[in-house]
């Protein structure tokens, strides 16, 4: 879509790439509020410019660990514009060369779909008012 | 006696006259008259002569019989002859002699009894004396042994006392040495106390300067913390700038060809932000090192303060110890002086003891010699006693023989 840019993410063990077209933008990490009974991989909720964003714990999904102090939220592009990935590591926007394409690619759409599938397989059941 | 003889002469004369008168009357024959008168006269003369001889020898025979009885030892026989003639006087003298002899025999018997008793007493006394002398000899030998042992012990004691005197001399020398050392220690301790007080003052000044340095280091740390917070802020801005640059680059990529120039600018901004972030990280690490260094310095200062306080306490304790040592060394010097004086008097006493022991040793030797002589004398005395006992025994035997001899005499019982 972008025609040659990709976001590089450096976690503790590996570097990953995300197609720049799948990204709406990067925001600094604000306070993330945990959500009770959220599916595995959902870190919580945060607020960005009056909008509520669902924050996905990327290291947990990738079975990784944080790398350094720098952390940011990567907002996904539509149709998952209300979703952000928590990335605890350095990020850089680079030209999507062949070398870069050798790295493991994160597909945000599939990621979100997998989480949504988990969410659907375990629908919310309130403790109150339900017989 | 003369009257008796005159009477007898008259009686014989009368008989002759009677015969001379009667015969002529009875016998007329003259022949027969002569025969008768002659024979009568012869008969009368014979009778008179027998009578005279009888009267003369009768008392002498009695005297001779008494002498014979006395000669057999019987002094009980008394001779009683009356008259004043020589025979009666002889008989009286004989009786007196017998009496005297009896007295003498009695006296001799008594004396023999006494001699016998004395000899037996002397013999038993000599035997007892012999035993006593033997005991004395044994005791004298024991005394001699004791005297020799005493002499040996006194010699040993004298040697020990000389060794003791040597030891006392050594003690005296040691006490003098202790006195010198204690005096030196006292003077050196005085210098040490002054030095330690100066050191305490130095440490106090060092402590004050260290405290001031500690305060300065605390100020440095505060400044470094401030720097760190500023660097954090810069780092945060750089991070945000970096994110904004990436966002700008994404937007530029979306814009396509028209956004390329903007993309270049965004990349430059991103690079600058990266540089700023790198410098901020470097400053942060430097300020962290400064903070860590300040912590180390502050810890060192705190440790130094603690050490200096401990040092001060040690120095104060050392000062007290040195003062106590000073006092103790003074006391020691006084004691050593006293000991030195006492050992000198002990040395004099030991010398006197040695001299006295030598005198005692000489006396003990003399005693040993004297007891040996006494032992010899006792042996001689013992021999004399044995001889005396033998003599007493012989005397007792002799007195027994004398008593046996005296028992031959038969004495009249004496009126007591």
């Amino acid at each position: 879509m972008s025609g040659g840019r990709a976001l590089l993410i450096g976690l503790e063990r590996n570097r990953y790439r995300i197609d720049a077209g799948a990204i709406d933008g990067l925001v600094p990490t604000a306070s993330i509020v945990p959500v009770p009974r959220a599916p595995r991989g959902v870190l919580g909720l945060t607020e960005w410019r009056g909008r509520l964003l669902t924050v996905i714990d990327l290291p947990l999904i990738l079975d990784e660990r944080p790398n350094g102090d720098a952390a940011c939220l990567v907002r996904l592009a539509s149709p998952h514009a209300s979703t952000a990935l928590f990335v605890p590591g350095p990020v850089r926007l680079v030209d999507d060369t062949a070398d870069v394409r050798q790295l493991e690619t994160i597909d945000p759409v599939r990621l979100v779909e997998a989480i949504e599938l988990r969410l659907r397989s375990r629908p919310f059941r309130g403790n109150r008012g339900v017989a | 006696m003369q009257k008796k003889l005159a009477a007898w002469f008259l009686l014989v004369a009368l008989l002759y006259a009677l015969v001379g008168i009667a015969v002529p009357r009875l016998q007329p024959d003259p022949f027969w008259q002569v025969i008768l008168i002659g024979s009568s006269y012869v008969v009368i003369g014979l009778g008179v002569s027998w009578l005279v001889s009888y009267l003369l020898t009768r008392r002498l025979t009695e005297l001779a019989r008494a002498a014979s009885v006395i000669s057999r030892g019987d002094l009980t026989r008394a001779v009683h002859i009356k008259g004043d003639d020589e025979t009666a006087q002889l008989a009286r003298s004989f009786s007196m002699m017998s009496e005297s002899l009896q007295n003498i025999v009695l006296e001799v018997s008594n004396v023999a009894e006494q001699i016998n008793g004395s000899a037996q007493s002397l013999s038993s006394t000599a035997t007892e004396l012999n035993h006593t002398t033997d005991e004395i000899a044994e005791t004298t030998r024991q005394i001699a042994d004791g005297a020799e042992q005493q002499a040996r012990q006194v010699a040993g004691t004298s040697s020990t006392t000389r060794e003791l005197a040597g030891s006392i001399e050594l003690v005296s020398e040691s006490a003098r040495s202790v006195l010198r050392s204690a005096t030196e220690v006292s003077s050196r301790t005085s210098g040490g106390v002054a030095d330690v007080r100066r050191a305490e003052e130095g440490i106090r000044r060092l402590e004050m300067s260290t405290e001031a340095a500690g305060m300065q280091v605390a100020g440095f740390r505060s400044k470094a913390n401030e720097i760190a917070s500023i660097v954090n802020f810069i780092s945060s801005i750089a991070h945000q700038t970096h994110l904004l640059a990436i966002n700008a680059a994404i937007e530029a990529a979306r814009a396509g060809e028209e956004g390329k120039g903007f993309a270049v600018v965004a990349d430059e901004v991103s690079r600058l932000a990266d540089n700023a972030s790198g410098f901020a990280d470097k400053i942060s690490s430097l300020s962290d090192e400064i903070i860590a260094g300040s912590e180390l310095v502050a810890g060192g200062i705190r440790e130094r303060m603690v050490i200096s306080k401990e040092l001060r306490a040690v120095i104060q304790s050392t000062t007290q110890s040195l003062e106590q040592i000073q006092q103790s060394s003074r006391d020691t010097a006084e004691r050593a002086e006293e000991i030195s004086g006492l050992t000198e008097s002990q040395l004099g006493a030991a010398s006197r003891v040695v001299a006295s022991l030598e005198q005692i040793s000489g006396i003990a030797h003399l005693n040993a010699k004297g007891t040996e002589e006494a032992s010899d004398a006792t042996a001689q005395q013992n021999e004399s006693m044995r001889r005396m006992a033998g003599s007493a025994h012989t005397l007792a035997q002799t007195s027994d023989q004398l008593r046996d001899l005296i028992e031959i005499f038969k004495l009249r019982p004496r009126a007591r």
Side-chain angles (χ1 to χ4, degrees):
Chain A
M1 179 181 169
S2 63
R5 302 290 284 198
L7 186 73
L8 286 185
I9 296 171
L11 291 177
E12 190 190 47
R13 287 185 307 187
N14 290 320
R15 287 196 300 166
Y16 304 88
R17 67 173 281 281
I18 302 178
D19 193 9
I23 298 168
D24 198 25
L26 278 64
V27 293
T29 312
S31 63
I32 298 165
V33 179
V35 179
R37 296 183 64 80
R40 188 172 177 274
V42 176
L43 195 62
L45 299 173
T46 189
E47 181 271 333
W48 178 73
R49 290 183 184 173
R51 288 164 62 182
L52 202 61
L53 299 177
T54 303
V55 182
I56 291 170
D57 192 350
L58 191 65
L60 186 73
I61 300 292
L62 298 173
D63 195 18
E64 269 281 5
R65 286 175 182 282
N67 181 19
D69 294 334
C72 64
L73 298 177
V74 176
R75 287 190 297 109
L76 299 180
S78 182
H80 300 296
S82 62
T83 305
L85 303 176
F86 173 67
V87 180
V91 291
R92 257 171 66 194
L93 193 71
V94 294
D95 292 333
D96 197 13
T97 60
D99 290 340
V100 173
R101 279 195 294 275
Q102 294 289 320
L103 299 172
E104 189 178 343
T105 300
I106 297 166
D107 186 356
V109 177
R110 288 177 60 188
L111 194 72
V112 172
E113 280 174 355
I115 288 172
E116 282 178 348
L117 190 65
R118 284 184 204 166
L119 194 59
R120 278 197 294 274
S121 70
R122 195 181 61 184
F124 177 76
R125 286 177 186 164
N127 289 331
R128 294 180 186 174
V130 177
Chain B
M1 189 71 189
Q2 285 174 348
K3 286 176 181 175
K4 226 178 221 179
L5 282 175
W8 278 102
F9 185 74
L10 283 177
L11 183 65
V12 169
L14 195 61
L15 278 173
Y16 278 134
L18 194 63
V19 167
I21 295 167
V23 167
R25 289 176 182 206
L26 293 169
Q27 189 49 271
D29 188 0
F31 177 70
W32 289 101
Q33 279 181 356
V34 171
I35 293 293
L36 283 171
I37 291 168
S39 60
S40 298
Y41 280 2
V42 167
V43 168
I44 291 166
L46 282 172
V48 168
S49 65
W50 178 83
L51 186 68
V52 167
S53 70
Y54 172 76
L55 287 173
L56 281 173
T57 60
R58 185 177 52 96
R59 289 187 294 182
L60 285 173
T61 304
E62 193 180 345
L63 204 58
R65 201 176 293 128
S68 173
V69 169
I70 286 169
S71 72
R72 288 198 297 274
D74 187 0
L75 301 179
T76 55
R77 182 65 173 269
V79 182
H80 299 290
I81 294 172
K82 293 177 181 172
D84 291 328
D85 56 350
E86 289 78 6
T87 306
Q89 287 177 356
L90 180 65
R92 279 196 293 275
S93 297
F94 193 85
S95 290
M96 283 169 68
M97 185 195 72
S98 173
E99 189 76 21
S100 296
L101 191 60
Q102 178 163 324
N103 285 338
I104 287 164
V105 167
L106 273 172
E107 287 295 323
V108 168
S109 176
N110 287 337
V111 169
E113 284 288 336
Q114 285 176 0
I115 286 169
N116 191 279
S118 299
Q120 282 177 356
S121 173
L122 184 63
S123 179
S124 66
T125 306
T127 308
E128 284 176 10
L129 268 175
N130 212 355
H131 288 313
T132 310
T133 311
D134 283 343
E135 287 173 3
I136 288 168
E138 181 59 30
T139 309
T140 310
R141 272 196 296 280
Q142 288 175 356
I143 288 168
D145 291 345
E148 281 176 11
Q149 199 175 351
Q150 185 190 13
R152 283 198 299 276
Q153 285 177 349
V154 165
T157 309
S158 181
S159 159
T160 308
T161 311
R162 279 198 199 90
E163 288 174 10
L164 179 67
S167 302
I168 290 168
E169 181 66 38
L170 286 175
V171 169
S172 177
E173 182 56 38
S174 299
R176 282 196 290 276
S177 175
V178 166
L179 177 62
R180 286 195 296 274
S181 300
T183 310
E184 197 178 338
V185 165
S186 180
S187 74
R188 286 193 180 183
T189 312
S190 299
V193 167
D195 290 345
V196 166
R197 284 198 176 127
R198 278 200 295 279
E200 189 186 3
E201 184 56 33
I203 283 173
R204 194 190 300 277
R205 286 207 299 273
L206 195 66
E207 209 173 291
M208 284 166 69
S209 67
T210 308
E211 206 168 354
M215 285 168 74
Q216 282 185 346
V217 167
F220 288 155
R221 200 174 48 183
S222 161
K223 296 267 193 313
N225 282 331
E226 208 173 324
I227 289 168
S229 68
I230 291 166
V231 165
N232 277 336
F233 182 66
I234 291 168
S235 186
S236 165
I237 288 170
H239 184 56
Q240 287 183 35
T241 308
H242 177 67
L243 296 181
L244 285 173
I246 288 171
N247 287 341
I250 290 167
E251 290 298 331
R254 281 195 191 127
E257 281 298 321
E258 290 170 357
K260 273 189 178 172
F262 186 69
V264 170
V265 174
D267 284 345
E268 285 298 323
V269 171
S270 176
R271 199 171 299 117
L272 283 173
D274 282 347
N275 286 342
S277 179
F279 285 125
D281 285 348
K282 201 169 278 181
I283 291 168
S284 177
S285 71
L286 284 173
S287 78
D288 282 349
E289 284 176 16
I290 287 169
I291 287 168
S294 305
E295 283 291 339
L296 277 175
V297 171
I301 284 168
R302 279 197 298 275
E303 198 174 343
R304 200 164 295 169
M305 289 292 285
V306 169
I307 288 169
S308 71
K309 275 177 186 161
E310 285 175 2
L311 262 179
R312 216 143 54 107
V314 168
I315 282 171
Q316 282 170 357
S317 164
T318 307
T319 308
Q320 286 177 358
S321 299
L322 282 173
E323 283 170 357
Q324 284 172 0
I325 287 168
Q326 200 175 9
Q327 187 58 41
S328 298
S329 59
R330 279 185 198 135
D331 293 347
T332 305
E334 286 176 11
R335 298 286 178 281
E337 212 164 347
E338 286 173 8
I339 289 168
S340 186
L342 287 172
T343 49
E344 277 171 14
S345 62
Q346 277 179 354
L347 208 58
S351 301
R352 287 196 293 279
V353 167
V354 167
S356 301
L357 283 171
E358 280 171 357
Q359 284 180 0
I360 289 168
S361 178
I363 290 165
H365 278 301
L366 285 175
N367 276 346
K369 201 174 169 185
T371 45
E372 279 174 9
E373 288 172 1
S375 182
D376 292 344
T378 311
Q380 287 175 2
Q381 190 184 358
N382 206 1
E383 187 55 35
S384 301
M385 283 296 152
R386 278 200 194 88
R387 283 204 299 274
M388 191 174 88
S391 299
H393 189 65
T394 310
L395 184 64
Q397 283 179 343
T398 309
S399 69
D400 281 344
Q401 287 174 359
L402 183 63
R403 200 168 53 187
D404 291 343
L405 285 173
I406 287 167
E407 276 175 359
I408 292 169
F409 292 101
K410 193 174 178 185
L411 302 176
R412 284 195 302 273
R414 300 182 80 185
R416 289 180 184 272

